[in-house]
Amino acid sequence: VDIIDERFNGGESERRIMTGVEAIDEYTHGFNLTDLIVVGGTPSMGKTEFMMKLVNGCSTEDGGALVFSMEMDEYQLIERSVAIEAHLPLSCARSPRGMETEDWAKFTEGMGIVRSKDFHVLDQAGLTVNEICATATNHKMKFPNTKLIAVDYIGLIPVSKSDRHDIAVGEISRQLKQSAKV
């Protein structure tokens, strides 16, 4: 009752994570601090782009994000982040010779926005789920305003050879959820 009353009076915002994606925030009213959100789909469906939209949205003056990238390097993720903030296709960053003056202005503005963001990228491949959880815990202690920790993607986290893939992914998800509750 107290929590509902606090929400009714406009409080409890520090216990919710707004993503910066208007449709999601409107529908969910933000996520809980201990939520584990898994995004799945086939290759090239935009999962990493979606993750970076959430990272951009959570990386504000009052919060930050940590990204574990098992597949892409830091520069690829920052490039995506700039394209998102500039409202330009990623192809502009990859082939800038075709950009018009207006595109350059948008791209420069996007770079300025991303520079002001508070997100960190760890692009070390081969991290175990235990290493990810320990690193995330240490990061959160060093940067207590961290709102979002993202892992791209759990299919590349090493598992025991004897585990079936579905069981291994379930175990990784269980450990990540336990870490999120800490």
Side-chain angles (χ1 to χ4, degrees):
V1 171
D2 291 340
I3 290 172
I4 299 301
D5 188 49
E6 188 178 348
R7 287 177 184 163
F8 180 79
N9 292 314
E12 204 211 29
S13 61
E14 68 279 352
R15 294 182 53 180
R16 310 294 289 165
I17 299 171
M18 303 309 278
T19 66
V21 178
E22 191 175 311
I24 292 173
D25 291 339
E26 186 177 308
Y27 184 75
T28 64
H29 301 283
F31 294 112
N32 291 312
L33 295 175
T34 60
D35 282 349
L36 173 68
I37 299 156
V38 178
V39 177
T42 58
S44 299
M45 293 298 294
K47 297 177 298 293
T48 300
E49 177 118 2
F50 177 67
M51 176 194 72
M52 289 310 298
K53 283 185 182 201
L54 298 180
V55 167
N56 282 358
C58 290
S59 301
T60 61
E61 64 278 348
D62 64 338
L66 171 62
V67 179
F68 290 92
S69 180
M70 309 303 226
E71 183 178 33
M72 294 183 187
D73 66 27
E74 175 182 18
Y75 301 106
Q76 289 174 292
L77 294 178
I78 291 171
E79 185 177 69
R80 286 174 185 266
S81 186
V82 171
I84 290 166
E85 293 298 340
H87 304 286
L88 290 170
L90 183 58
S91 59
C92 286
R94 294 194 173 161
S95 182
R97 288 185 183 183
M99 289 197 319
E100 303 291 330
T101 304
E102 181 180 307
D103 295 336
W104 278 109
K106 288 180 182 179
F107 193 79
T108 301
E109 182 179 347
M111 285 186 65
I113 292 169
V114 170
R115 268 203 173 112
S116 71
K117 299 275 181 200
D118 180 20
F119 69 82
H120 302 86
V121 176
L122 181 59
D123 60 2
Q124 183 179 344
L127 291 174
T128 66
V129 68
N130 290 334
E131 291 169 325
I132 290 169
C133 292
T135 302
T137 300
N138 289 337
H139 181 87
K140 183 76 172 152
M141 286 190 308
K142 188 174 180 180
F143 302 98
N145 288 338
T146 300
K147 290 182 176 180
L148 175 72
I149 298 172
V151 179
D152 186 29
Y153 68 90
I154 65 173
L156 293 177
I157 297 174
V159 295
S160 169
K161 298 284 185 215
S162 62
D163 285 344
R164 285 188 356 221
H165 183 69
D166 59 334
I167 293 172
V169 168
E171 178 59 23
I172 289 168
S173 298
R174 184 186 67 75
Q175 286 181 265
L176 290 174
K177 177 59 179 177
Q178 284 178 328
S179 184
K181 290 186 76 172
V182 174

